[in-house]
Amino acid sequence: MSLPELNIAKTLPDAWDYKGRPANRATTGGWITAAMILVNVRVDGSGVEAVERLATLGIAVNLVTYLTNTMHFGNASSANTVTNFLGTSFMLCLVGGFVADTFLGRYLTIAIFTAVQATGVTILTLSTAIPSLKPPKCTSDGDCVPANSIQVSVLYLALYLTALGTGGLKSSVSGFGSDQFDESNKEEKTKMTAFFNWFFFFISIGSLLAVTVMVYIQDNLGRRWGYGIVACAIVIGLLIFLSGTKRYRFKKLVGSPLTQIASVFVAAWKKRHMELPSDPSLLFNVDDIELTQVDSKKTKQKLPHSKQFRFLDKAAIKDTERSYESMMTIDKWRLSTLTDVEEVKLVVRMLPIWATTILFWTVYAQMTTFSVSQATTMNRHIGKSFQIPAASLTVFFVGSILLTVPIYDRIIAPIAKRFLKHPQGLSPLQRVGVGLTLSILAMVAAALTEIKRLNVARSHGLVENSSKTVPLSVFWLAPQFLLVGSGEAFTYMGQLDFFLRECPKGMKTMSTGLFLSTLSLGFFFSSVLVTIVHKITGDTHPWIADNLNEGKLYNFYWLLAILSVLNIGLFLVGARWYVYKEHRLAEEGIELEEDDFVGHA
């Protein structure tokens, strides 16, 4: 091997070091840099999908009790504050992903948004520590002064700065970790698989710490200590992350898939009055000009023309008034390749499935809001001295997820493979269907448990006295947490597998974006639903009362159960209509490459 060839073998063709030179395989990337990213994830606490589990979940699961007991919000407004905070966190992931893919790159996005998040949690810590930023305690007569506008503004500033930081981190950390490995190298590809295994392991550990240790510290030592520890951990994680700068591998910005989707729709709209040619081969496609001049991606699989959503085909109508030479530098907002159009069609076909998974996350939202509020009214003692923090009931939720995954892998999947003849056991859509079914059962269990809790409260004369504990064990709430946890395991696995496999190869980041947007919209829909229900039922016979013993929360759970039944009906229709990309392309005689089943988060 000549010296130039040897130098090429030592460097990677698609990655650079911090000085912009081709990344050296021996001195950049690999497990050392991945470990620094893992430490960053582990210290600041990973979130529901990628990061922030300790920070975001540690704040969210116990936030409703702080809002009701300290800030003197009502139950409905407290629940909406929590779900709006979580919904914004996930929605901003799309913004963070767009910024990372188009402008800053993943490294700078992580560094900047981690600093933003640390600022948010620091302000939250100060708001819980400074007396003037909290309303006075309720009097012995039960009179409570609500938080004033300044106190609420500081709280919201802290929460939404934290949400902004979370959005940037979620969109980039796992992807930047995978950038440290060369997928074309068999050894490094194996290491990348191990990285993701450890990544999700730390996410699970972060979840357990959030709902146990952090909640206990917040309830027993004080919120300022709980949030302060998280703020310090985030700063330490950022410093560890920055210390690895010289060893990181950096990838070229490829642009956001959202830009491709938008450009196809814009181009189609501009040509809405033009007639489509009868022969699809007359439309503009990747064969017309060199691929590298059309798109920065080096690998774009040519897709066959489909007859659905033909309006979008107009984006590929050639402009006959332009010369061939002028089309060598095309305006993507006026002319798209047919393959680009077909990739957008693949995303559009997934929208019915995407829409019918939103309601699951609305059910999920109740586990961090009203279920925690229920727990605060019930007997939480174990033995004579130890009392379980209300928010720590979510340990059943996390534990259920951790149990469901191996049970599915070791028991359910082998049985399903035998009888359903599917290589994965259950297909992605079948797994989502199981998750949606479990969410219905969870709401039925929640409604029945609330009816029992109210009956016990009435029998002991506690309807008007919300300060006394209802003599009913808090473990009656365990079934709803367990069912939603198992449902999340199925829905989560099914959604990610579905979006990962069905998104076009050149738009893999859409798999994460579509998944996170269902979480966001699920939380926002919970806020809307609570607001509507609270307004309709009023103050006379409220379903969601400030004193749960005077409300009819079980009716709200029944409503969610009914909506979930209707939703799963729509899901089954969409699932029956949907044809997997693998089958669709097989009919056209096109074989998928292995990379089409590998996600790039």
Side-chain angles (χ1 to χ4, degrees):
M1 183 180 293
S2 64
L3 184 60
E5 291 175 333
L6 186 62
N7 290 333
I8 292 174
K10 289 182 178 180
T11 61
L12 289 99
D14 61 343
W16 291 264
D17 64 14
Y18 73 109
K19 288 187 176 181
R21 301 168 300 191
N24 188 295
R25 190 182 299 275
T27 59
T28 65
W31 262 115
I32 295 178
T33 54
M36 292 178 179
I37 297 170
L38 276 176
V39 169
N40 183 50
V41 173
R42 171 63 183 85
V43 172
D44 70 26
S46 308
V48 174
E49 226 276 300
V51 295
E52 293 315 301
R53 184 66 78 170
L54 185 60
T56 306
L57 190 59
I59 291 171
V61 296
N62 209 20
L63 182 59
V64 70
T65 60
Y66 178 73
L67 296 175
T68 53
N69 298 336
T70 303
M71 301 300 286
H72 305 153
F73 284 25
N75 276 320
S77 59
S78 296
N80 284 353
T81 299
V82 174
T83 51
N84 287 338
F85 164 65
L86 289 171
T88 303
S89 298
F90 290 114
M91 186 60 72
L92 287 173
C93 292
L94 298 178
V95 177
F98 178 81
V99 170
D101 289 340
T102 309
F103 301 108
L104 297 179
R106 287 166 174 166
Y107 170 81
L108 281 178
T109 300
I110 292 171
I112 292 171
F113 281 89
T114 299
V116 170
Q117 190 205 43
T119 302
V121 178
T122 300
I123 295 174
L124 183 62
T125 304
L126 294 174
S127 72
T128 62
I130 299 174
S132 61
L133 295 179
K134 297 181 291 184
K137 293 183 179 180
C138 298
T139 64
S140 57
D141 298 330
D143 295 329
C144 301
V145 177
N148 59 42
S149 58
I150 295 177
Q151 293 164 344
V152 172
S153 297
V154 172
L155 174 67
Y156 283 171
L157 174 64
L159 289 177
Y160 287 103
L161 277 177
T162 303
L164 177 60
T166 298
L169 286 170
K170 282 183 189 297
S171 63
S172 299
V173 171
S174 59
F176 191 61
S178 67
D179 287 345
Q180 307 312 306
F181 302 95
D182 180 15
E183 288 187 68
S184 64
N185 182 282
K186 186 176 181 180
E187 182 180 353
E188 289 200 23
K189 189 173 183 179
T190 302
K191 290 179 180 179
M192 184 173 70
T193 302
F195 165 78
F196 279 111
N197 290 339
W198 281 105
F199 185 83
F200 286 108
F201 172 78
F202 282 121
I203 284 178
S204 301
I205 296 299
S207 300
L208 289 174
L209 289 175
V211 302
T212 53
V213 176
M214 293 309 304
V215 169
Y216 182 84
I217 291 174
Q218 291 168 21
D219 283 1
N220 292 275
L221 298 181
R223 303 275 174 162
R224 63 184 182 276
W225 287 103
Y227 298 150
I229 290 171
V230 172
C232 292
I234 294 173
V235 173
I236 293 172
L238 176 59
L239 293 176
I240 294 174
F241 173 75
L242 294 176
S243 70
T245 300
K246 292 183 179 181
R247 292 192 58 90
Y248 290 139
R249 293 174 183 172
F250 301 87
K251 296 294 182 72
K252 185 178 180 181
L253 298 180
V254 296
S256 172
L258 295 175
T259 303
Q260 178 181 332
I261 294 173
S263 64
V264 168
F265 274 94
V266 169
W269 177 257
K270 287 180 178 178
K271 301 175 184 178
R272 61 190 180 277
H273 299 302
M274 298 179 69
E275 292 291 332
L276 281 168
S278 56
D279 186 356
S281 64
L282 299 177
L283 295 171
F284 188 73
N285 209 344
V286 293
D287 293 334
D288 292 329
I289 54 178
E290 290 183 13
L291 180 58
T292 54
Q293 292 173 297
V294 180
D295 199 324
S296 61
K297 305 178 187 67
K298 294 183 179 180
T299 55
K300 182 178 281 288
Q301 183 184 31
K302 185 176 179 181
L303 297 175
H305 178 257
S306 61
K307 296 180 180 180
Q308 286 180 309
F309 314 116
R310 296 195 67 218
F311 166 77
L312 295 177
D313 291 347
K314 293 189 175 184
I317 295 177
K318 297 178 183 178
D319 191 343
T320 55
E321 296 180 359
R322 297 182 64 190
S323 65
Y324 176 82
E325 289 75 14
S326 68
M327 289 198 324
M328 296 294 283
T329 54
I330 62 171
D331 177 5
K332 64 182 178 182
W333 296 96
R334 183 170 182 82
L335 180 63
S336 301
T337 67
L338 188 58
T339 292
D340 281 338
V341 172
E342 289 300 325
E343 287 186 342
V344 173
K345 286 183 180 181
L346 285 174
V347 175
V348 173
R349 289 188 188 99
M350 290 188 285
L351 292 183
I353 302 299
W354 168 85
T356 50
T357 57
I358 291 172
L359 194 61
F360 174 85
W361 301 106
T362 300
V363 171
Y364 172 100
Q366 311 318 309
M367 299 302 103
T368 59
T369 54
F370 294 127
S371 292
V372 175
S373 295
Q374 286 175 286
T376 61
T377 70
M378 301 170 73
N379 179 15
R380 293 178 278 120
H381 282 90
I382 296 179
K384 295 182 179 180
S385 58
F386 183 74
Q387 179 171 268
I388 304 171
S392 288
L393 262 292
T394 48
V395 74
F396 288 109
F397 175 76
V398 177
S400 178
I401 296 172
L402 296 177
L403 285 173
T404 300
V405 173
I407 288 174
Y408 172 79
D409 187 54
R410 299 296 181 183
I411 300 175
I412 299 176
I415 294 175
K417 286 179 184 178
R418 180 178 179 182
F419 291 99
L420 300 179
K421 308 300 182 182
H422 192 278
Q424 295 175 281
L426 296 177
S427 70
L429 293 182
Q430 286 172 337
R431 277 176 276 169
V432 172
V434 172
L436 296 180
T437 302
L438 290 172
S439 71
I440 297 172
L441 298 177
M443 287 299 94
V444 171
L448 294 176
T449 299
E450 178 61 7
I451 291 172
K452 182 174 182 61
R453 192 192 68 82
L454 287 177
N455 288 337
V456 173
R458 292 191 188 101
S459 66
H460 287 79
L462 300 176
V463 173
E464 296 181 359
N465 191 346
S466 60
S467 61
K468 290 189 176 181
T469 301
V470 176
L472 181 68
S473 173
V474 75
F475 293 110
W476 278 89
L477 297 175
Q480 61 205 61
F481 282 100
L482 292 171
L483 286 167
V484 173
S486 294
E488 191 205 355
F490 279 99
T491 304
Y492 182 103
M493 291 188 298
Q495 274 186 290
L496 273 187
D497 194 3
F498 174 74
F499 292 136
L500 185 66
R501 287 175 173 270
E502 298 305 298
C503 273
K505 182 179 179 181
M507 300 170 66
K508 285 296 183 183
T509 52
M510 282 299 297
S511 61
T512 303
L514 287 170
F515 171 69
L516 293 175
S517 64
T518 61
L519 272 74
S520 175
L521 293 174
F523 287 122
F524 283 135
F525 182 65
S526 177
S527 298
V528 171
L529 198 61
V530 168
T531 301
I532 293 173
V533 167
H534 195 54
K535 188 171 184 178
I536 291 176
T537 59
D539 298 324
T540 307
H541 302 288
W543 286 9
I544 306 170
D546 291 342
N547 177 2
L548 285 183
N549 296 340
E550 295 178 340
K552 298 178 181 179
L553 183 60
Y554 57 87
N555 280 339
F556 183 70
Y557 288 144
W558 285 128
L559 174 62
L560 281 174
I562 293 170
L563 290 176
S564 297
V565 170
L566 297 175
N567 179 70
I568 199 172
L570 295 174
F571 169 80
L572 292 174
V573 172
R576 186 175 180 83
W577 169 80
Y578 189 82
V579 178
Y580 285 101
K581 180 176 70 172
E582 181 181 6
H583 298 153
R584 186 185 298 274
L585 295 183
E587 292 176 358
E588 301 289 338
I590 298 177
E591 184 177 349
L592 289 177
E593 301 172 13
E594 182 181 357
D595 284 349
D596 287 311
F597 298 109
V598 178
H600 303 282

